[in-house]
Amino acid sequence: MLYRVIDASELPSLVSAFMESYEVVAPVKRDRSYVFEAVESYHDIELGYDTTVSSPKKYFLPPTETLFPFDARAEEVASFAAEITPRVIFGAHACDINALNRLDLVFRDGRYPDPYYVARRAATLVVGVSCMPTDTCFCHLWGADEARFGYDLFLQDIGGKYLVSISSVEAANILEAACSPRVATDEDRIEFRHATRRRQEAFNGDIPDIQDVAMLMDAFHKDPYWEELGGRCLACTACSAVCPTCFCFDIQDTLDPDGRTGVRERTWDSCTSPQFAQVAGGHNFRADGRNRVRHRMYHKLNGFLANHDRMLCVGCGRCVTACKANINPIEVLEFFERKGACDAE
Ligand code: SF4
Ligand code: SF4
């Protein structure tokens, strides 16, 4: 990894340089929240944002996308390539970069890479920025508070300057042309250490740190707790919509009025939707809230870990805010903390 230092005053030049060849997507303020949107100028960007309503996931896996058109008369699928916009995601937090790394495992690095996702990922530069945790952040519990890969540049704020971690030639060339990057001094490294420590000490200490949560979930699979938690679920699917790692989708064919031509589309789906596990013939193998919510939490904190050696939750806290029934991983951690307290009595 190559490290350089730039002044904060050089960021507008960096963004302008990106804009010459890319669409730049960055955090902007919308009412009382922040969202990722395409921006026209550096001055639209709120780099000191706390968290965004949803993550940049939609730029890699759009909520709805056409996979291909078809013509039943020709009995063949027309060749089709999705339009890919060269893009820079500017200002992603470490948790969102770690979420993207998990999506890579599913859509890019598996046996059957998804060509739509792979094309978007390859055409996108990711520029990360350091952050301070909110009360609902728990990324540190799963080691997602630092991004070690999956980005092109990462900007660590060290007080009026940024220590820039560089991991792609393309981004390095743009940085070099737009700014005056210099070699990090010992003072810069010490300030980096202080900034890291300030972040680590700012996490909400009331969130239980239960590292063996995956094993506990197996042990308490039949606990009545899941009935209680599932009974509260409104099946609104907001948790999946805001989650940077949820990747389930549905595929539907939409026919034109002629009944022969149409398009095959992919749309985000959610395991908390009552129809998610309904199959032909009407059987629903997760017909109640208990099974749906338990499945969601297991996939986040247990199942994905078994297959990919990391949680599918990056602790971004978005579902903590989005779920009006207070169903989220923190709630599950608190349940196991209570269980531990009871067992110890
Ligand atoms: S489950 Fe919740 S906290 Fe975990 S990554 Fe998804 S939205 Fe963030
Ligand atoms: S867990 Fe919460 S956010 Fe998710 S579907 Fe149920 S009520 Fe909605």
Side-chain angles (χ1 to χ4, degrees):
M1 187 75 69
L2 191 63
Y3 296 97
R4 289 289 182 267
V5 173
I6 61 169
D7 289 331
S9 60
E10 294 181 280
L11 287 183
S13 308
L14 180 60
V15 170
S16 295
F18 280 131
M19 282 177 175
E20 286 176 19
S21 312
Y22 299 89
E23 175 185 85
V24 174
V25 164
V28 300
K29 191 129 205 256
R30 284 283 168 267
D31 301 323
R32 283 178 294 171
S33 308
Y34 298 97
V35 295
F36 278 99
E37 272 185 16
V39 293
E40 301 290 330
S41 148
Y42 173 77
H43 301 291
D44 297 335
I45 301 174
E46 296 278 350
L47 210 53
Y49 72 105
D50 50 11
T51 188
T52 49
V53 176
S54 60
S55 75
K57 176 180 76 176
K58 63 187 174 189
Y59 293 102
F60 302 91
L61 185 69
T64 299
E65 69 176 320
T66 298
L67 298 179
F68 52 79
F70 59 81
D71 184 340
R73 285 166 302 197
E75 291 189 355
E76 64 183 28
V77 172
S79 67
F80 176 71
E83 256 182 47
I84 304 295
T85 305
R87 185 174 280 138
V88 176
I89 305 290
F90 190 88
H93 286 169
C95 62
D96 281 342
I97 294 170
N98 281 300
L100 201 49
N101 292 340
R102 282 149 174 80
L103 296 183
D104 288 347
L105 292 171
V106 176
F107 290 105
R108 190 190 65 187
D109 304 337
R111 183 180 295 181
Y112 303 106
D114 181 298
Y116 307 89
Y117 177 91
V118 170
R120 289 195 180 92
R121 186 67 160 115
T124 305
L125 300 183
V126 176
V127 179
V129 68
S130 58
C131 54
M132 290 296 278
T134 69
D135 272 358
T136 55
C137 291
F138 54 103
C139 50
H140 64 311
L141 298 186
W142 316 141
D145 57 325
E146 288 183 21
R148 296 196 167 81
F149 61 95
Y151 58 82
D152 297 85
L153 301 177
F154 195 93
L155 310 172
Q156 168 67 54
D157 185 349
I158 52 171
K161 310 176 268 187
Y162 288 91
L163 183 74
V164 188
S165 311
I166 304 169
S167 67
S168 87
V169 174
E170 200 172 347
N173 288 341
I174 294 171
L175 180 79
E176 187 70 40
C179 309
S180 304
R182 59 183 186 277
V183 174
T185 62
D186 287 348
E187 187 189 55
D188 295 327
R189 290 191 190 91
I190 289 167
E191 188 45 49
F192 171 75
R193 184 70 200 110
H194 287 160
T196 303
R197 185 160 296 172
R198 278 196 296 277
R199 188 190 71 242
Q200 289 168 340
E201 289 173 353
F203 281 100
N204 180 353
D206 291 337
I207 300 175
D209 180 0
I210 300 184
Q211 290 297 316
D212 53 356
V213 59
M215 192 188 71
L216 288 169
M217 291 187 93
D218 285 336
F220 289 92
H221 189 257
K222 293 190 176 152
D223 196 279
Y225 169 70
W226 300 110
E227 186 81 48
E228 189 270 314
L229 202 65
R232 300 206 307 250
C233 179
L234 308 166
C236 65
T237 75
C239 47
S240 303
V242 299
C243 181
T245 64
C246 274
F247 57 79
C248 289
F249 56 81
D250 193 12
I251 289 183
Q252 291 185 336
D253 289 346
T254 304
L255 280 173
D256 296 328
D258 66 9
R260 294 172 177 234
T261 56
V263 289
R264 178 160 293 181
E265 291 177 315
R266 164 158 70 183
T267 311
W268 286 0
D269 204 350
S270 169
C271 59
T272 53
S273 161
Q275 292 80 36
F276 183 82
Q278 189 166 348
V279 293
H283 179 67
N284 193 332
F285 52 92
R286 273 184 232 120
D288 55 42
R290 177 185 77 122
N291 278 304
R292 290 194 289 272
V293 166
R294 187 175 62 181
H295 171 81
R296 175 175 167 75
M297 291 302 165
Y298 266 71
H299 197 209
K300 292 292 169 195
L301 304 175
N302 177 305
F304 196 83
L305 180 74
N307 291 325
H308 297 288
D309 202 26
R310 67 207 75 181
M311 299 279 193
L312 191 57
C313 172
V314 291
C316 71
R318 288 186 177 99
C319 63
V320 181
T321 306
C323 178
K324 300 310 171 203
N326 197 28
I327 300 169
N328 57 66
I330 295 177
E331 159 77 22
V332 173
L333 293 173
E334 288 172 346
F335 161 70
F336 285 122
E337 186 179 54
R338 289 196 298 276
K339 274 286 173 193
C342 291
D343 292 348
E345 282 170 5

